[in-house]
Amino acid sequence: MQTILGANGQIGSELALALKKEFTDDIRLVSRNPKRINDTDELVSANLLDAVETQKAVEGSEIVYLTAGLPIDTALWVEQFPIMMRNVIDACAMHNAKLVYFDNTYMYPQTNDLLTEKIPFKPYGEKGRVRGLLAQILLDAMDEGQVQAIICRAPEFYGPGKTKSITNTTVLDKLRAGESAKVFISDKTLRTLIYTPDASKAMALLGNTPDAYGQTWHLPCDDNRLTYKQLIDIASDTLGANCDYTVLKKWQLKLLSFVSKPLRETLELLPRYEVDNLFVSDKFKARFPDFEITSYRDGLVKTLLENRRRQSDE
């Protein structure tokens, strides 16, 4: 049994597909209101803030994938994420299950340094401190022999379906709707983005690779990084339109944040848009040289034309 905790999001959904295709039919999907992805999926409703419910959700699992998220709300993150992490670690320890944790880069320095698995944590704000704390809680549990685990770390997402990120929300979704995109801070800095199906496929592969445990892995990204200007140029070619965009400077975003809570919650992430974002996934590529990484052009085409494909299939 391989179990996905937080199975309703895009990463969890894609992970269920990847596991079914390559590794197992014995998949359990866990969330407060889980929905079947594959015909053979087992559904379990659980609140990961409840230790007993978490233990029951994990029972019988060989491998557990933690992909659960929370709304982008600092207070919620501070209060709830550490409880969820400790409950999941305890449940995996109780049932002798391996744990694969899907992490982000909020705890990393927001500079143009090369970001490898070895870079020290240097969070800029409270969300970064929480994500750093979660990783450290798990690293400590691994060092103490409580649980066999893998940390799978990914940069900002882009992709189809329910993918949520600044790039999807303010750029790709706007362009698909025929609206002007909103670019944060600069259209000239290089972005490292991960295509959500690639992230999930890589996590499934790592979870089913015994010698990958006990380590942190950067999930694989196309190294031919683009600026937002280049990304929007590809969008124009793909959509057959002159895609328009506006660059919102830091002072404008800070001003808008007074009337927008979602924007206010992203302020601590803004420094990463001022500089090149150089997330490095060489370790994964060396260990799994046959893994096919989606190019930015191919990923953007699939994402931007998704609505049109759905309409043509209906």
Side-chain angles (χ1 to χ4, degrees), residues 211-261:
D211 66 9
Y213 283 82
Q215 303 177 58
T216 296
W217 296 83
H218 279 186
L219 298 180
C221 304
D222 182 2
D223 286 336
N224 298 302
R225 301 173 181 89
L226 302 176
T227 65
Y228 276 124
K229 182 181 186 308
Q230 291 169 322
L231 183 154
I232 292 169
D233 286 344
I234 291 175
S236 294
D237 292 341
T238 301
L239 297 172
N242 184 19
C243 293
D244 187 30
Y245 68 97
T246 300
V247 177
L248 296 175
K249 298 301 184 183
K250 186 184 289 187
W251 68 266
Q252 293 172 303
L253 292 166
K254 287 183 177 178
L255 192 62
L256 290 169
S257 73
F258 287 110
V259 294
S260 170
K261 187 176 188 296

Side-chain angles (χ1 to χ4, degrees), residues 8 10 51 92 120 143 150 212 225 230 237 261 264 269 304:
N8 279 358
Q10 186 68 21
C92 288
D143 289 343
I150 297 172
R225 301 173 181 89
Q230 291 169 322
D237 292 341
K261 187 176 188 296
R264 189 158 62 250
L269 307 179
L304 290 164

Side-chain angles (χ1 to χ4, degrees), residues 156-173:
E156 185 180 344
F157 309 150
Y158 80 104
K162 297 173 286 187
T163 300
K164 296 187 190 308
S165 67
I166 288 175
T167 295
N168 256 60
T169 303
T170 67
V171 179
L172 301 182
D173 291 350

